[in-house]
Amino acid sequence: MNELTPQLIVDGAVPLHSVISPDGRQVAYTVAAITREEQHPSSALWVVTTDGSSPPRKLTEGRARDSNPRWAPDSASLFFESDRLTRGTAQLHRIPVAGGHAQALTTWRSGIRDHLPLADGRRVAVVAEDPPSDEDERRKAERDDAKVWGEQVPYGRLRLLELDTGRSRVVDGLGDRHVVEVTQRPDGGPLAVLSRPTPELDPVSPTFELHVVDPETGKVQHLGQGALEASSPTWWSTDGSWHLCYLATTPPGPVGGRAVFDLAVPENGAAQEHHNLTSGMAMCPSGLAQVADGPPLALFADGLDTAIHRLDPGTRRFQPMSRLEGYAASLTAGRSGEVVAVLASTAYEPRNVHTGPPAGRLTRLSDTRPEVREIRWGTQERLSYQACDGLDLDGLLILPVGRSREDGPFPLITLVHGGPYARYADQFLLGTSPSAQWLATAGYAVFLPNPRGGEGHGHAFAAAVAGAVGMQEWTDITSGIDLLIADGIADPDRLGIGGWSHGGFMAAWAVGQTSRFKAAVMGAGISDWGMLVATGEWGIWDAGLGGSCGWEAAGPHRHDQLSPISYASRISTPVLILHGEDDTNVPVGQSTYFHRALRRFGVEHEFVVYPREGHAILERNHQLDVLRRTRAWFDRWLSTPAV
């Protein structure tokens, strides 16, 4: 057996962007390193047959960022994005699947954002910014570059690229809206286009709109506004009429479970009602797959597992096809829908490409981390328990490596997931910030709860935290800890808590509510919801969680009651604070504020800022530091029972 080291954790690779060929015979996917040692990440394209008759083949060397593969309609070549010409600027490339060199199809100064090969085989829909003008270049060179809100916005515009000539034309009818996604009707007809006002999520008044574009004439048909956070537009037909369905957050507020919405595509452009096809379901859709010869398939987060469903055109409801143990994402299907591919992971198996029939057993085809099979892992158990109000909850428990329940009680570390709209599926939990199995190798039991606000239990479960973060979701977590103490697994005198993003918020919240934790790790966490509305990129989403913005009227405000900073004078627990310096999701000022409060009240803590890092820590040395520092912090405070 190999020893688990921080280097082994960060030096692995993961599959991304899997997509099945139109004929259903092959899957292309990206393999990317978990870490990056230079400024720009690198990744390679791979392809494998869906029946497993031949092993995976590496198509590109991986010296640049080769990503987002899309199949040509004849399944003979792949289009993809790569920054091999100029690092940091993606261009469109094409490579034969049978073998050969990649050809650059664009050399545009602004690069491209997205692409979609069209069914005619002659064109590719490309999303790209306008190139900088001579005046833009002059202003940049002379540093005459004042930024005026609403001016010089780098909109992603829809262009149709002719492969034979290299000429492209802009679809003008979309105006100054940023194109997010494009999908073509499976019969080779019009394009469904999803747009929003700006390239960034508008933090004040976000709107998502749907459009239909005729690729021959460029004529645009506007279908009106979609629900919040709309994504994955997907065509399907019934009784001779075409429909579009898409994923989005369930109205009315910005906080809640995702749903599949559907509308008939009208002939005359008249507005159509958007129907919620997943209303009332006790699970959450997480992916859609378009099928040319039938209704769409959908992937659902279902508790600790994942399920594949198919839309029944008659009832307009999703019907179960199969249930996948653990986690699955990136659902994709061939034209016939008879073969699908997903990226899947179970308790001791890392994420890999799996394929098979949607109603049958899926087979693993890739093996990007064979080295982890030589490691002895902590036993991972599923937990089911009840909240204070009787609501059924689930989660996971990982026991220290080589130990059983009978060997307890153990020091227990509770790791809260981010989001809060996320979940712990019964998957392989070896990450970088913080890492459950990494802590289990050091002798800790690790509790991974799925409190209210998360994915996998329907809309109402997720919406329960709207304007109420830290309330019932907090007692959901403490109920699980109390159960593990009562069962003799957790030592009540050696409890720790940590998490990243919303999990970091919960760690900061926890230490202001109780002194029962002897150590906490706040990773990129929120200390003040009002300040996050002001400076973070999610705006009204954060206001939806915190309950107010601050500009409604004179306080007191709801978000003050739900902000950890308001309870800083109560804190006695030692806190390790970790944050990326360039984080735009949760700006580093959130941690700086908490750090200053802890200094003011003399609380033992350590504040670490990682240069060049955003919301996720990506550089190798920084990832190694997070792993070592996190475990050392818990070792310092939980290694012996408190006196």
Side-chain angles (χ1 to χ4, degrees), residues 6-27:
Q7 292 83 357
L8 187 144
I9 295 174
V10 307
D11 289 340
V14 292
L16 305 167
H17 306 141
S18 63
V19 58
I20 203 165
S21 59
D23 62 13
R25 295 179 179 178
Q26 299 180 89
V27 179

Side-chain angles (χ1 to χ4, degrees), residues 139-417:
R139 294 180 69 245
K140 180 179 179 181
E142 297 179 6
R143 303 175 75 88
D144 180 20
D145 53 358
K147 295 181 179 179
V148 181
W149 186 87
E151 294 184 7
Q152 297 178 313
V153 178
Y155 297 105
R157 303 194 188 277
L158 179 61
R159 290 167 163 79
L160 298 177
L161 174 67
E162 299 283 347
L163 293 175
D164 290 342
T165 65
R167 291 196 295 265
S168 67
R169 61 184 175 93
V170 176
V171 175
D172 294 321
L174 296 170
D176 284 339
R177 290 192 64 83
H178 175 71
V179 174
V180 180
E181 289 185 67
V182 181
T183 307
Q184 187 172 29
R185 209 168 71 183
D187 65 351
L191 309 177
V193 177
L194 179 65
S195 72
R196 63 184 185 222
T198 66
E200 296 76 29
L201 285 170
D202 187 331
V204 178
S205 302
T207 58
F208 294 77
E209 292 184 2
L210 284 163
H211 322 267
V212 173
V213 175
D214 186 328
E216 303 301 330
T217 65
K219 181 182 178 181
V220 177
Q221 177 184 353
H222 300 283
L223 300 183
Q225 189 169 322
L228 202 60
E229 289 189 275
S231 66
S232 305
T234 303
W235 291 92
W236 67 284
S237 65
T238 180
D239 298 328
S241 64
W242 285 99
H243 287 242
L244 272 173
C245 59
Y246 63 94
L247 293 172
T249 301
T250 305
V255 178
R258 301 198 87 191
V260 178
F261 293 91
D262 178 72
L263 72 157
V265 179
E267 295 292 336
N268 57 6
Q272 297 289 308
E273 183 178 356
H274 295 227
H275 298 276
N276 184 342
L277 302 182
T278 52
S279 176
M281 295 183 71
M283 57 185 74
C284 298
S286 58
L288 286 171
Q290 182 168 293
V291 177
D293 302 329
L297 297 167
L299 206 60
F300 283 82
D302 186 5
L304 298 172
D305 295 311
T306 309
I308 298 176
H309 284 57
R310 188 190 300 276
L311 180 65
D312 182 336
T315 63
R316 304 291 172 88
R317 302 293 290 178
F318 281 93
Q319 303 298 326
M321 299 286 287
S322 61
R323 188 176 179 85
L324 310 177
E325 180 182 343
Y327 170 85
S330 192
L331 177 67
T332 174
R335 286 187 59 86
S336 69
E338 295 177 356
V339 181
V340 298
V342 296
L343 299 176
S345 170
T346 54
Y348 308 107
E349 282 285 334
R351 189 191 329 175
N352 271 300
V353 177
H354 292 66
T355 66
R361 180 178 177 273
L362 302 187
T363 302
R364 178 176 61 80
L365 297 180
S366 67
D367 191 11
T368 59
R369 300 213 66 184
E371 70 278 6
V372 302
R373 293 195 180 87
E374 300 301 319
I375 303 294
R376 189 180 185 191
W377 304 110
T379 301
Q380 185 162 308
E381 299 182 6
R382 296 178 175 226
L383 294 177
S384 297
Y385 64 101
Q386 287 191 326
C388 298
D389 60 359
L391 181 68
D392 290 330
L393 300 170
D394 60 40
L396 299 169
L397 170 68
I398 300 179
L399 296 172
V401 174
R403 311 296 291 276
S404 67
R405 280 175 170 253
E406 289 70 26
D407 297 321
F410 308 105
L412 178 77
I413 297 172
T414 298
L415 296 181
V416 185
H417 64 65

Side-chain angles (χ1 to χ4, degrees), residues 420-436:
Y421 193 66
R423 64 168 177 149
Y424 286 119
D426 192 9
Q427 67 197 83
F428 187 59
L429 292 163
L430 187 69
T432 58
S433 55
S435 175

Side-chain angles (χ1 to χ4, degrees), residues 202-205 529-536 538-541 543 547-555 557 559:
D202 187 331
V204 178
S205 302
W529 288 102
M531 186 167 68
L532 191 61
V533 173
T535 60
W538 286 87
I540 67 162
W541 286 271
S548 58
C549 299
W551 55 53
E552 299 93 346
H557 300 292
H559 69 254

